[in-house]
PDB file of all heavy atoms in Angstrom:
ATOM      1  N   PHE A 245      -0.259  32.479 -78.776  1.00  0.00           N
ATOM      2  CA  PHE A 245      -0.596  32.302 -80.180  1.00  0.00           C
ATOM      3  C   PHE A 245      -1.301  30.978 -80.475  1.00  0.00           C
ATOM      4  O   PHE A 245      -1.660  30.724 -81.616  1.00  0.00           O
ATOM      5  CB  PHE A 245       0.662  32.428 -81.042  1.00  0.00           C
ATOM      6  CG  PHE A 245       1.247  33.813 -81.065  1.00  0.00           C
ATOM      7  CD1 PHE A 245       2.326  34.145 -80.256  1.00  0.00           C
ATOM      8  CD2 PHE A 245       0.707  34.783 -81.884  1.00  0.00           C
ATOM      9  CE1 PHE A 245       2.863  35.422 -80.268  1.00  0.00           C
ATOM     10  CE2 PHE A 245       1.242  36.062 -81.906  1.00  0.00           C
ATOM     11  CZ  PHE A 245       2.311  36.385 -81.097  1.00  0.00           C
ATOM     12  N   LEU A 246      -1.513  30.153 -79.477  1.00  0.00           N
ATOM     13  CA  LEU A 246      -2.201  28.879 -79.706  1.00  0.00           C
ATOM     14  C   LEU A 246      -3.715  29.039 -79.860  1.00  0.00           C
ATOM     15  O   LEU A 246      -4.271  28.579 -80.863  1.00  0.00           O
ATOM     16  CB  LEU A 246      -1.881  27.896 -78.580  1.00  0.00           C
ATOM     17  CG  LEU A 246      -0.436  27.379 -78.514  1.00  0.00           C
ATOM     18  CD1 LEU A 246      -0.256  26.526 -77.275  1.00  0.00           C
ATOM     19  CD2 LEU A 246      -0.092  26.578 -79.769  1.00  0.00           C
ATOM     20  N   PRO A 247      -4.428  29.666 -78.914  1.00  0.00           N
ATOM     21  CA  PRO A 247      -5.888  29.720 -79.042  1.00  0.00           C
ATOM     22  C   PRO A 247      -6.369  30.789 -80.012  1.00  0.00           C
ATOM     23  O   PRO A 247      -7.457  30.678 -80.572  1.00  0.00           O
ATOM     24  CB  PRO A 247      -6.351  30.025 -77.614  1.00  0.00           C
ATOM     25  CG  PRO A 247      -5.220  30.776 -77.010  1.00  0.00           C
ATOM     26  CD  PRO A 247      -3.971  30.184 -77.608  1.00  0.00           C
ATOM     27  N   GLY A 248      -5.593  31.845 -80.215  1.00  0.00           N
ATOM     28  CA  GLY A 248      -6.042  32.932 -81.072  1.00  0.00           C
ATOM     29  C   GLY A 248      -6.903  33.912 -80.308  1.00  0.00           C
ATOM     30  O   GLY A 248      -7.486  33.589 -79.276  1.00  0.00           O
ATOM     31  N   GLY A 249      -6.991  35.125 -80.817  1.00  0.00           N
ATOM     32  CA  GLY A 249      -7.806  36.144 -80.177  1.00  0.00           C
ATOM     33  C   GLY A 249      -7.013  36.970 -79.185  1.00  0.00           C
ATOM     34  O   GLY A 249      -5.960  36.559 -78.679  1.00  0.00           O
ATOM     35  N   ALA A 250      -7.531  38.165 -78.909  1.00  0.00           N
ATOM     36  CA  ALA A 250      -6.880  39.056 -77.957  1.00  0.00           C
ATOM     37  C   ALA A 250      -6.953  38.481 -76.552  1.00  0.00           C
ATOM     38  O   ALA A 250      -7.876  37.750 -76.210  1.00  0.00           O
ATOM     39  CB  ALA A 250      -7.537  40.436 -77.994  1.00  0.00           C
ATOM     40  N   ALA A 251      -5.963  38.836 -75.736  1.00  0.00           N
ATOM     41  CA  ALA A 251      -5.946  38.344 -74.361  1.00  0.00           C
ATOM     42  C   ALA A 251      -5.177  39.307 -73.475  1.00  0.00           C
ATOM     43  O   ALA A 251      -4.204  39.941 -73.910  1.00  0.00           O
ATOM     44  CB  ALA A 251      -5.316  36.954 -74.284  1.00  0.00           C
ATOM     45  N   LEU A 252      -5.622  39.419 -72.245  1.00  0.00           N
ATOM     46  CA  LEU A 252      -4.864  40.130 -71.221  1.00  0.00           C
ATOM     47  C   LEU A 252      -3.903  39.119 -70.619  1.00  0.00           C
ATOM     48  O   LEU A 252      -4.323  38.092 -70.077  1.00  0.00           O
ATOM     49  CB  LEU A 252      -5.811  40.683 -70.158  1.00  0.00           C
ATOM     50  CG  LEU A 252      -5.181  41.584 -69.098  1.00  0.00           C
ATOM     51  CD1 LEU A 252      -4.705  42.891 -69.724  1.00  0.00           C
ATOM     52  CD2 LEU A 252      -6.175  41.857 -67.977  1.00  0.00           C
ATOM     53  N   ALA A 253      -2.620  39.388 -70.754  1.00  0.00           N
ATOM     54  CA  ALA A 253      -1.599  38.438 -70.323  1.00  0.00           C
ATOM     55  C   ALA A 253      -0.970  38.899 -69.011  1.00  0.00           C
ATOM     56  O   ALA A 253      -0.609  40.068 -68.852  1.00  0.00           O
ATOM     57  CB  ALA A 253      -0.524  38.287 -71.395  1.00  0.00           C
ATOM     58  N   SER A 254      -0.829  37.964 -68.089  1.00  0.00           N
ATOM     59  CA  SER A 254      -0.148  38.244 -66.838  1.00  0.00           C
ATOM     60  C   SER A 254       0.816  37.099 -66.550  1.00  0.00           C
ATOM     61  O   SER A 254       1.033  36.228 -67.392  1.00  0.00           O
ATOM     62  CB  SER A 254      -1.162  38.436 -65.704  1.00  0.00           C
ATOM     63  OG  SER A 254      -2.010  37.306 -65.588  1.00  0.00           O
ATOM     64  N   GLY A 255       1.380  37.086 -65.333  1.00  0.00           N
ATOM     65  CA  GLY A 255       2.463  36.148 -65.076  1.00  0.00           C
ATOM     66  C   GLY A 255       3.656  36.552 -65.921  1.00  0.00           C
ATOM     67  O   GLY A 255       3.978  37.736 -66.029  1.00  0.00           O
ATOM     68  N   VAL A 256       4.307  35.591 -66.548  1.00  0.00           N
ATOM     69  CA  VAL A 256       5.382  35.918 -67.494  1.00  0.00           C
ATOM     70  C   VAL A 256       4.826  36.021 -68.916  1.00  0.00           C
ATOM     71  O   VAL A 256       5.574  36.132 -69.880  1.00  0.00           O
ATOM     72  CB  VAL A 256       6.527  34.882 -67.440  1.00  0.00           C
ATOM     73  CG1 VAL A 256       7.187  34.886 -66.076  1.00  0.00           C
ATOM     74  CG2 VAL A 256       6.024  33.493 -67.806  1.00  0.00           C
ATOM     75  N   GLY A 257       3.488  35.997 -69.014  1.00  0.00           N
ATOM     76  CA  GLY A 257       2.820  36.051 -70.300  1.00  0.00           C
ATOM     77  C   GLY A 257       1.990  34.823 -70.577  1.00  0.00           C
ATOM     78  O   GLY A 257       1.283  34.747 -71.578  1.00  0.00           O
ATOM     79  N   GLU A 258       2.068  33.842 -69.657  1.00  0.00           N
ATOM     80  CA  GLU A 258       1.402  32.562 -69.891  1.00  0.00           C
ATOM     81  C   GLU A 258      -0.009  32.509 -69.304  1.00  0.00           C
ATOM     82  O   GLU A 258      -0.790  31.615 -69.646  1.00  0.00           O
ATOM     83  CB  GLU A 258       2.263  31.415 -69.328  1.00  0.00           C
ATOM     84  CG  GLU A 258       2.060  31.107 -67.858  1.00  0.00           C
ATOM     85  CD  GLU A 258       2.652  32.111 -66.885  1.00  0.00           C
ATOM     86  OE1 GLU A 258       3.093  33.204 -67.317  1.00  0.00           O
ATOM     87  OE2 GLU A 258       2.675  31.818 -65.680  1.00  0.00           O
ATOM     88  N   VAL A 259      -0.361  33.449 -68.421  1.00  0.00           N
ATOM     89  CA  VAL A 259      -1.705  33.496 -67.838  1.00  0.00           C
ATOM     90  C   VAL A 259      -2.558  34.393 -68.721  1.00  0.00           C
ATOM     91  O   VAL A 259      -2.359  35.616 -68.763  1.00  0.00           O
ATOM     92  CB  VAL A 259      -1.676  34.012 -66.393  1.00  0.00           C
ATOM     93  CG1 VAL A 259      -3.094  34.019 -65.811  1.00  0.00           C
ATOM     94  CG2 VAL A 259      -0.748  33.160 -65.535  1.00  0.00           C
ATOM     95  N   LEU A 260      -3.497  33.800 -69.451  1.00  0.00           N
ATOM     96  CA  LEU A 260      -4.210  34.512 -70.511  1.00  0.00           C
ATOM     97  C   LEU A 260      -5.697  34.611 -70.191  1.00  0.00           C
ATOM     98  O   LEU A 260      -6.357  33.605 -69.967  1.00  0.00           O
ATOM     99  CB  LEU A 260      -4.005  33.798 -71.844  1.00  0.00           C
ATOM    100  CG  LEU A 260      -2.547  33.652 -72.301  1.00  0.00           C
ATOM    101  CD1 LEU A 260      -2.459  32.722 -73.503  1.00  0.00           C
ATOM    102  CD2 LEU A 260      -1.959  35.017 -72.636  1.00  0.00           C
ATOM    103  N   GLN A 261      -6.187  35.836 -70.206  1.00  0.00           N
ATOM    104  CA  GLN A 261      -7.612  36.095 -70.015  1.00  0.00           C
ATOM    105  C   GLN A 261      -8.169  36.617 -71.339  1.00  0.00           C
ATOM    106  O   GLN A 261      -7.819  37.721 -71.760  1.00  0.00           O
ATOM    107  CB  GLN A 261      -7.831  37.126 -68.915  1.00  0.00           C
ATOM    108  CG  GLN A 261      -9.273  37.579 -68.758  1.00  0.00           C
ATOM    109  CD  GLN A 261      -9.401  38.786 -67.828  1.00  0.00           C
ATOM    110  OE1 GLN A 261      -8.543  39.008 -66.967  1.00  0.00           O
ATOM    111  NE2 GLN A 261     -10.452  39.567 -68.023  1.00  0.00           N
ATOM    112  N   PRO A 262      -9.023  35.849 -72.035  1.00  0.00           N
ATOM    113  CA  PRO A 262      -9.555  36.310 -73.328  1.00  0.00           C
ATOM    114  C   PRO A 262     -10.242  37.667 -73.203  1.00  0.00           C
ATOM    115  O   PRO A 262     -10.916  37.960 -72.213  1.00  0.00           O
ATOM    116  CB  PRO A 262     -10.544  35.211 -73.711  1.00  0.00           C
ATOM    117  CG  PRO A 262     -10.083  34.006 -72.964  1.00  0.00           C
ATOM    118  CD  PRO A 262      -9.538  34.513 -71.658  1.00  0.00           C
ATOM    119  N   VAL A 263     -10.051  38.494 -74.220  1.00  0.00           N
ATOM    120  CA  VAL A 263     -10.645  39.828 -74.271  1.00  0.00           C
ATOM    121  C   VAL A 263     -11.431  39.959 -75.568  1.00  0.00           C
ATOM    122  O   VAL A 263     -10.915  39.627 -76.646  1.00  0.00           O
ATOM    123  CB  VAL A 263      -9.558  40.928 -74.201  1.00  0.00           C
ATOM    124  CG1 VAL A 263     -10.172  42.312 -74.403  1.00  0.00           C
ATOM    125  CG2 VAL A 263      -8.815  40.865 -72.873  1.00  0.00           C
ATOM    126  N   ASP A 264     -12.666  40.403 -75.470  1.00  0.00           N
ATOM    127  CA  ASP A 264     -13.500  40.614 -76.653  1.00  0.00           C
ATOM    128  C   ASP A 264     -13.135  41.954 -77.271  1.00  0.00           C
ATOM    129  O   ASP A 264     -13.565  43.009 -76.806  1.00  0.00           O
ATOM    130  CB  ASP A 264     -14.973  40.587 -76.257  1.00  0.00           C
ATOM    131  CG  ASP A 264     -15.893  40.664 -77.481  1.00  0.00           C
ATOM    132  OD1 ASP A 264     -15.389  40.505 -78.611  1.00  0.00           O
ATOM    133  OD2 ASP A 264     -17.105  40.901 -77.295  1.00  0.00           O
ATOM    134  N   LEU A 265     -12.313  41.902 -78.301  1.00  0.00           N
ATOM    135  CA  LEU A 265     -11.801  43.115 -78.934  1.00  0.00           C
ATOM    136  C   LEU A 265     -12.324  43.203 -80.361  1.00  0.00           C
ATOM    137  O   LEU A 265     -12.162  42.260 -81.139  1.00  0.00           O
ATOM    138  CB  LEU A 265     -10.265  43.092 -78.941  1.00  0.00           C
ATOM    139  CG  LEU A 265      -9.549  44.366 -79.368  1.00  0.00           C
ATOM    140  CD1 LEU A 265      -9.684  45.435 -78.304  1.00  0.00           C
ATOM    141  CD2 LEU A 265      -8.071  44.076 -79.622  1.00  0.00           C
ATOM    142  N   PRO A 266     -12.956  44.319 -80.742  1.00  0.00           N
ATOM    143  CA  PRO A 266     -13.440  44.438 -82.117  1.00  0.00           C
ATOM    144  C   PRO A 266     -12.282  44.616 -83.084  1.00  0.00           C
ATOM    145  O   PRO A 266     -11.175  44.991 -82.674  1.00  0.00           O
ATOM    146  CB  PRO A 266     -14.300  45.705 -82.059  1.00  0.00           C
ATOM    147  CG  PRO A 266     -13.668  46.530 -80.983  1.00  0.00           C
ATOM    148  CD  PRO A 266     -13.206  45.542 -79.948  1.00  0.00           C
ATOM    149  N   PRO A 267     -12.495  44.351 -84.380  1.00  0.00           N
ATOM    150  CA  PRO A 267     -11.440  44.633 -85.368  1.00  0.00           C
ATOM    151  C   PRO A 267     -11.077  46.118 -85.345  1.00  0.00           C
ATOM    152  O   PRO A 267     -11.957  46.978 -85.379  1.00  0.00           O
ATOM    153  CB  PRO A 267     -12.083  44.234 -86.695  1.00  0.00           C
ATOM    154  CG  PRO A 267     -13.163  43.277 -86.329  1.00  0.00           C
ATOM    155  CD  PRO A 267     -13.682  43.741 -85.002  1.00  0.00           C
ATOM    156  N   VAL A 268      -9.798  46.401 -85.251  1.00  0.00           N
ATOM    157  CA  VAL A 268      -9.318  47.776 -85.188  1.00  0.00           C
ATOM    158  C   VAL A 268      -8.280  47.977 -86.287  1.00  0.00           C
ATOM    159  O   VAL A 268      -7.238  47.327 -86.278  1.00  0.00           O
ATOM    160  CB  VAL A 268      -8.680  48.089 -83.822  1.00  0.00           C
ATOM    161  CG1 VAL A 268      -8.174  49.530 -83.787  1.00  0.00           C
ATOM    162  CG2 VAL A 268      -9.671  47.840 -82.683  1.00  0.00           C
ATOM    163  N   PRO A 269      -8.528  48.864 -87.261  1.00  0.00           N
ATOM    164  CA  PRO A 269      -7.529  49.118 -88.296  1.00  0.00           C
ATOM    165  C   PRO A 269      -6.348  49.899 -87.726  1.00  0.00           C
ATOM    166  O   PRO A 269      -6.519  50.767 -86.851  1.00  0.00           O
ATOM    167  CB  PRO A 269      -8.293  49.939 -89.341  1.00  0.00           C
ATOM    168  CG  PRO A 269      -9.403  50.581 -88.587  1.00  0.00           C
ATOM    169  CD  PRO A 269      -9.771  49.638 -87.476  1.00  0.00           C
ATOM    170  N   LEU A 270      -5.166  49.593 -88.215  1.00  0.00           N
ATOM    171  CA  LEU A 270      -3.968  50.257 -87.707  1.00  0.00           C
ATOM    172  C   LEU A 270      -2.868  50.213 -88.760  1.00  0.00           C
ATOM    173  O   LEU A 270      -2.991  49.537 -89.788  1.00  0.00           O
ATOM    174  CB  LEU A 270      -3.503  49.590 -86.409  1.00  0.00           C
ATOM    175  CG  LEU A 270      -3.319  48.063 -86.408  1.00  0.00           C
ATOM    176  CD1 LEU A 270      -1.933  47.666 -86.889  1.00  0.00           C
ATOM    177  CD2 LEU A 270      -3.578  47.491 -85.025  1.00  0.00           C
ATOM    178  N   VAL A 271      -1.800  50.939 -88.479  1.00  0.00           N
ATOM    179  CA  VAL A 271      -0.624  50.954 -89.351  1.00  0.00           C
ATOM    180  C   VAL A 271       0.601  50.617 -88.512  1.00  0.00           C
ATOM    181  O   VAL A 271       0.769  51.126 -87.398  1.00  0.00           O
ATOM    182  CB  VAL A 271      -0.437  52.323 -90.035  1.00  0.00           C
ATOM    183  CG1 VAL A 271       0.859  52.341 -90.850  1.00  0.00           C
ATOM    184  CG2 VAL A 271      -1.620  52.648 -90.931  1.00  0.00           C
ATOM    185  N   LEU A 272       1.437  49.736 -89.041  1.00  0.00           N
ATOM    186  CA  LEU A 272       2.688  49.332 -88.397  1.00  0.00           C
ATOM    187  C   LEU A 272       3.851  49.982 -89.130  1.00  0.00           C
ATOM    188  O   LEU A 272       3.871  50.021 -90.365  1.00  0.00           O
ATOM    189  CB  LEU A 272       2.843  47.820 -88.443  1.00  0.00           C
ATOM    190  CG  LEU A 272       1.742  46.995 -87.767  1.00  0.00           C
ATOM    191  CD1 LEU A 272       1.720  45.584 -88.333  1.00  0.00           C
ATOM    192  CD2 LEU A 272       1.942  46.970 -86.267  1.00  0.00           C
ATOM    193  N   LEU A 273       4.826  50.477 -88.372  1.00  0.00           N
ATOM    194  CA  LEU A 273       5.975  51.147 -88.977  1.00  0.00           C
ATOM    195  C   LEU A 273       7.238  50.741 -88.219  1.00  0.00           C
ATOM    196  O   LEU A 273       7.310  50.876 -86.992  1.00  0.00           O
ATOM    197  CB  LEU A 273       5.788  52.666 -88.911  1.00  0.00           C
ATOM    198  CG  LEU A 273       6.833  53.530 -89.610  1.00  0.00           C
ATOM    199  CD1 LEU A 273       6.863  53.257 -91.115  1.00  0.00           C
ATOM    200  CD2 LEU A 273       6.556  55.018 -89.358  1.00  0.00           C
ATOM    201  N   ASN A 274       8.208  50.218 -88.966  1.00  0.00           N
ATOM    202  CA  ASN A 274       9.469  49.790 -88.367  1.00  0.00           C
ATOM    203  C   ASN A 274      10.616  50.551 -89.036  1.00  0.00           C
ATOM    204  O   ASN A 274      10.783  50.482 -90.250  1.00  0.00           O
ATOM    205  CB  ASN A 274       9.660  48.280 -88.545  1.00  0.00           C
ATOM    206  CG  ASN A 274      10.908  47.778 -87.845  1.00  0.00           C
ATOM    207  OD1 ASN A 274      12.018  48.059 -88.272  1.00  0.00           O
ATOM    208  ND2 ASN A 274      10.733  47.048 -86.759  1.00  0.00           N
ATOM    209  N   PRO A 275      11.421  51.274 -88.236  1.00  0.00           N
ATOM    210  CA  PRO A 275      12.481  52.114 -88.810  1.00  0.00           C
ATOM    211  C   PRO A 275      13.771  51.384 -89.143  1.00  0.00           C
ATOM    212  O   PRO A 275      14.809  52.024 -89.356  1.00  0.00           O
ATOM    213  CB  PRO A 275      12.701  53.156 -87.712  1.00  0.00           C
ATOM    214  CG  PRO A 275      12.430  52.412 -86.451  1.00  0.00           C
ATOM    215  CD  PRO A 275      11.308  51.455 -86.776  1.00  0.00           C
ATOM    216  N   GLY A 276      13.734  50.051 -89.174  1.00  0.00           N
ATOM    217  CA  GLY A 276      14.925  49.303 -89.557  1.00  0.00           C
ATOM    218  C   GLY A 276      15.913  49.106 -88.431  1.00  0.00           C
ATOM    219  O   GLY A 276      17.098  48.848 -88.672  1.00  0.00           O
ATOM    220  N   VAL A 277      15.454  49.219 -87.206  1.00  0.00           N
ATOM    221  CA  VAL A 277      16.296  49.023 -86.028  1.00  0.00           C
ATOM    222  C   VAL A 277      15.928  47.699 -85.376  1.00  0.00           C
ATOM    223  O   VAL A 277      14.745  47.414 -85.172  1.00  0.00           O
ATOM    224  CB  VAL A 277      16.095  50.162 -85.008  1.00  0.00           C
ATOM    225  CG1 VAL A 277      16.898  49.904 -83.741  1.00  0.00           C
ATOM    226  CG2 VAL A 277      16.484  51.502 -85.625  1.00  0.00           C
ATOM    227  N   GLU A 278      16.917  46.867 -85.068  1.00  0.00           N
ATOM    228  CA  GLU A 278      16.666  45.626 -84.344  1.00  0.00           C
ATOM    229  C   GLU A 278      16.923  45.857 -82.860  1.00  0.00           C
ATOM    230  O   GLU A 278      17.951  46.409 -82.478  1.00  0.00           O
ATOM    231  CB  GLU A 278      17.559  44.498 -84.869  1.00  0.00           C
ATOM    232  CG  GLU A 278      17.227  44.073 -86.288  1.00  0.00           C
ATOM    233  CD  GLU A 278      18.014  42.850 -86.733  1.00  0.00           C
ATOM    234  OE1 GLU A 278      18.565  42.135 -85.860  1.00  0.00           O
ATOM    235  OE2 GLU A 278      18.081  42.604 -87.944  1.00  0.00           O
ATOM    236  N   VAL A 279      15.976  45.452 -82.035  1.00  0.00           N
ATOM    237  CA  VAL A 279      16.084  45.637 -80.589  1.00  0.00           C
ATOM    238  C   VAL A 279      16.035  44.272 -79.920  1.00  0.00           C
ATOM    239  O   VAL A 279      15.079  43.511 -80.109  1.00  0.00           O
ATOM    240  CB  VAL A 279      14.956  46.533 -80.040  1.00  0.00           C
ATOM    241  CG1 VAL A 279      15.080  46.671 -78.524  1.00  0.00           C
ATOM    242  CG2 VAL A 279      14.992  47.910 -80.700  1.00  0.00           C
ATOM    243  N   SER A 280      17.030  43.973 -79.130  1.00  0.00           N
ATOM    244  CA  SER A 280      17.042  42.730 -78.362  1.00  0.00           C
ATOM    245  C   SER A 280      16.053  42.851 -77.208  1.00  0.00           C
ATOM    246  O   SER A 280      16.104  43.806 -76.425  1.00  0.00           O
ATOM    247  CB  SER A 280      18.452  42.463 -77.820  1.00  0.00           C
ATOM    248  OG  SER A 280      18.410  41.549 -76.744  1.00  0.00           O
ATOM    249  N   ALA A 281      15.141  41.882 -77.093  1.00  0.00           N
ATOM    250  CA  ALA A 281      14.190  41.888 -75.988  1.00  0.00           C
ATOM    251  C   ALA A 281      14.922  41.842 -74.650  1.00  0.00           C
ATOM    252  O   ALA A 281      14.516  42.501 -73.683  1.00  0.00           O
ATOM    253  CB  ALA A 281      13.220  40.726 -76.118  1.00  0.00           C
ATOM    254  N   ALA A 282      16.013  41.082 -74.589  1.00  0.00           N
ATOM    255  CA  ALA A 282      16.779  40.991 -73.337  1.00  0.00           C
ATOM    256  C   ALA A 282      17.311  42.360 -72.944  1.00  0.00           C
ATOM    257  O   ALA A 282      17.281  42.739 -71.756  1.00  0.00           O
ATOM    258  CB  ALA A 282      17.915  39.991 -73.497  1.00  0.00           C
ATOM    259  N   ASP A 283      17.789  43.129 -73.926  1.00  0.00           N
ATOM    260  CA  ASP A 283      18.279  44.480 -73.638  1.00  0.00           C
ATOM    261  C   ASP A 283      17.144  45.374 -73.157  1.00  0.00           C
ATOM    262  O   ASP A 283      17.298  46.131 -72.193  1.00  0.00           O
ATOM    263  CB  ASP A 283      18.911  45.094 -74.881  1.00  0.00           C
ATOM    264  CG  ASP A 283      20.300  44.553 -75.175  1.00  0.00           C
ATOM    265  OD1 ASP A 283      20.914  43.953 -74.254  1.00  0.00           O
ATOM    266  OD2 ASP A 283      20.771  44.713 -76.314  1.00  0.00           O
TER     267      ASP A 283
END
């Protein structure tokens, strides 16, 4: 989240390869469930 822009992430997420991604409209939907990332 520091440089901004889309990126292909590898390693544990810290190896970032910038990706030229056009604006893409989308819809987000959350059913009210909390999920632990560790789980």
